[in-house]
Amino acid sequence: MKKLWLFFGRAVMNVLTGGNKGLTDIGQRSRVIFLNAVTLAGAVMISLFSAISLASGNLPLALACAVAAGVVTLNFVLIRLFRLYLLGGIVDCVVIFVFYYYLVLSGGEAGSGILWINTYPLISLFLLGSGIGSVVALSFGAAVGLAIFTPALNAAAFPPLYSARVMGTYFFIWLFSLIYEVVRTNTLRRLEDSNRHLAEASAALRAEKQQTDDILAGVREGIFLLDGELRLGTSHSRYLETIFQGDQLAGRSLLELLKPLLPAQDYSSAADFFDLLLAGAVNPELLAEINPLSEIRCLFPAPDGQAHSKLLRFAFSRLGAVGAAGAAGAAGTAFSVLGVVVDASQEYELQQQLSVEERKHKQSMENLFRIIHVDPAMMREFIGDTEAELDQANELLKTEGTDREHIMVALGSSFHAIKGNALLLGLEEFAAKVHGYEDTVKELRSRGHSWRDLLSLTVGLGEIRGDLEELNGLITRIESFQALTVSRDGGAASLLQLSLDKFVQKESSRLGVPVSFDFRIAEGAAITEEHRKLVKDVLVQLVRNSFAHGFEHETTRLKLKKNPRCAISVQVDEQAGSLVLRYRDDGNGLDIGRIRAKAASLPLLAGRAAALSDQEVIKLIFMPGFSTARQTSLDAGRGEGMALVRNRVTAAGGRLGVKNKPGQYLEWTVTLPGMAVAEVSSA
Amino acid sequence: MTILIVDDSRIMRNIIKNTLTGHARYANCQYLEAPDGREAQRLIQSQAIDLLLLDWNMPMLNGLELVKRLRADAVQAKLPIIMITSESAKYSVIEAVKAGVNDYLIKPVSEKLLMEKLERLGL
Amino acid sequence: MNINHIEPFIEATVGVFRELFGLEPEYLNPYLVQKDDRNEWDISGIIGIGGDSKGVVVVSLSGQLAAALTAKLVGGPVQLDDPDIVDAVGEIVNIIAGNAKKGLEQYRLEISLPTIVKGPDHRIAWQQNVPIIGIPFKIPMGRFHLSIGLENIITG
């Protein structure tokens, strides 16, 4: 039933609009509907008239009406076909003009023909518009006036006063119709204008929205709005979801989002800051200064269970007036804060690398304490020696005007000596740490250094000293529990022998090279406490060299008919008041060819390497930074060792000699003047 | 206008005062000084002050504590306060702003910044 | 100790001398301060650090330089025994320590009120087990000395 009504309604509308669905203009549409309605009603009316006239026997009228009805019906069809609405209107107006005028002239039942004329202004004005419509309506009025005031034409014989009233009525109907039509067209025009503006504005808005969406989708920043409760708005840049690793952000409180990501201190700072931000009492410049989220590390949980950290930079600005934002914020609709966040994690990753290194370093300290099972006296000796090295380096730093390069060289050789001593005691971690500083020095020397590098090495010295202090404390405790196991009778020499022996055995098992170690001190010779350090530094270095460069592989030795067990011997003698150390290893000796080749590869010596005598070639190994090892390790390769030996020995006024039997042995002779005299005389 | 300068360093008080009197706008102000928070509080209670320039780290009563006391007092709740201190960390500034200072200036005092902040306060 | 924890103090020192005196201090080689080192200075301003790390910041100067710097601040000649010198040195070390906190914002540090030690070869009670880094600075009027000792800050 409902469908039927709907169909009926559509059919009526179809008839009235002439099947024209493109009539969007409201003014035009109403005009067409009116035109069709008038035309249709006219056709029906005039056909009815024709029928009535025929029935009453007025044949001419019936015929005229039939013709008129035919014209109007044709007009209705033409209007539908050609959509020439103005023409259709004119045809209607002309037909109705003629038809109504006929009714006036014929008088009708008791002069009632005159009544029809009052609809004419409405029809003409609506169909033809206020201008032409008025002309036509007034013309029709004039024609009617002529008819009812002229006695010959006045079929109904109206008295003149009655005719005057008819004309007055007609005139007023025209006037009111005109006013109505003018108002109606103006209103429609304004409506159309505003509709057009609305359409334009909404198109512009759509375009803008598209742009905003594009920006929010593509920008590499998290852009968002916060309401009075710090809840995120629905419209935020997509990157915000990347940053926060989630897509259901709208409506969630930023502070709550941040809570699990921040350390408690920073979270409370942030909460305080947002209070101040929303309160609006603090000026924007100061707010920007105190924003604790302007650079903040956030820890995000990662799927693998490990926290993943990001360095985020937030900026906030308040929107709108204080009071309004407060009130609207409570209602939960308006946004009071605009926020922007960027991800600066790359920098953070760098920082984190540094902190990982720091942790490693801490670990090494722990290891250091775990492995202390060495004789406390040896440890004290180590600490004393290391402190002496540190003091020496520090004195150089303190001496104003010392050239930085000079300090670097000294620091390098101090670190090297400390490392050697540490390895001697098996303090691997400590040695590795010092090795790191030594590496740094080496690198700085090759690429250039700044005051800041010096500061960082000074901090390194401080670190070593700190470790030593802790070590010292530990040893004091060990000592208080433990009786001394080493006889002090042999004094410095026996302690030296013991620690060297330990070192050789340790290196031997570490590198898998079997070695016998023979240490003899001749009758009358003695190493005093004060010179012990120099002797030890030199011997440690020579042992390290034997392992790194001297000893052949076991199979090679067998082929060469050498004892597969390598041998190191140290002989300490006294000759004419001087202390003479003879250090010999039964290794391969110095490989003159390889040293020469290495020299040839250095820009400094490239041209002359071939011309050097064997003696001169050997001297090259004392150059700081000269090494034949292919890569640097804890064992060799830095090229500082032999330079250290020579520097220390010459500084003490001693001499260094070498006897090289390639394939058989290498023997170093260190002569230190005036060292044993006091000891001898007292002995 | 009466300005109260509170700092335990007499030299710093002088520097701040000289900075202000160097500007015609503040040349004819009345200046009061106090070396610590307690003395400052006594002065504020005894006479009308229009602007308080306040150090943080001071003996007896520190600047932050004084701000909290003043803000709790209905009469002084609106007194313009600029904290002038060496405390440079952001969390310190937040703490001071939360306590109720109107602005914050980190020592050494920059003349330009001080003038900007006074202007912002409309003084 | 970490170089990143020392640099803020150095930057603050340079900044303070630049802003307060219009001077650009030049730094000389840093070194480790021995706890029993003789102190060649006449006056030291000391600020203790507490909170996430324990430590101390010291600015040491000769009496002459302290007087000269004070004179710059008060805008007139200053005698060697003027009490303003104590005031000025205290304020300088206070600003250095306070400003350095900016570069160490990830930690919560508290600074004490300054303490001033005077007299030739005066002693400073350094804390144990913390290396003290000394940095001599040079300005046209003379030398001064910044010493920093900070316990390792436990991170993570």
Side-chain angles (χ1 to χ4, degrees), chain A residues 265-266 269 358 391 394 397-398 400 402 407 451-452 454-456 458-459 461-463 465 469, chain C residues 1-4 6-7 10 27-32 34-35 37 106 108 129 131 133 135 143 152:
Chain A
Q265 272 179 346
D266 290 326
S269 274
E358 212 167 334
D391 287 349
N394 202 36
L397 283 168
K398 264 169 138 176
E400 205 185 302
T402 315
I407 293 174
W451 185 86
R452 190 184 184 278
L454 201 58
L455 177 62
S456 115
T458 310
V459 171
L461 285 181
E463 286 280 297
R465 173 159 290 164
E469 273 181 32
Chain C
M1 191 142 65
N2 183 326
I3 183 168
N4 296 327
I6 297 176
E7 281 191 315
I10 298 173
Y27 22 74
L28 307 176
N29 292 339
Y31 62 88
L32 289 178
Q34 317 281 86
K35 301 202 166 130
D37 264 357
Q106 62 269 48
R108 292 297 150 111
N129 299 323
I133 304 290
I135 297 146
R143 310 280 156 106
N152 270 334

Side-chain angles (χ1 to χ4, degrees), chain A residues 520-535:
Chain A
R520 284 162 204 234
I521 299 183
E523 200 73 21
I527 305 166
T528 58
E529 177 62 36
E530 53 188 316
H531 302 121
R532 178 194 48 77
K533 182 165 157 21
L534 171 62
V535 171

Side-chain angles (χ1 to χ4, degrees), chain B residues 4-53:
Chain B
L4 173 57
I5 303 174
V6 189
D7 196 312
D8 54 337
S9 160
R10 194 178 67 82
I11 294 179
M12 195 45 69
R13 295 199 301 269
N14 277 346
I15 289 176
I16 295 170
K17 187 172 151 185
N18 292 342
T19 307
L20 287 171
T21 49
H23 288 256
R25 195 182 166 81
Y26 304 103
N28 297 318
C29 292
Q30 191 197 343
Y31 288 93
L32 299 173
E33 294 182 27
D36 60 65
R38 194 186 286 179
E39 176 66 16
Q41 193 178 17
R42 204 186 55 72
L43 275 169
I44 292 168
Q45 277 160 1
S46 67
Q47 59 181 298
I49 306 287
D50 301 302
L51 171 64
L52 178 57
L53 301 175

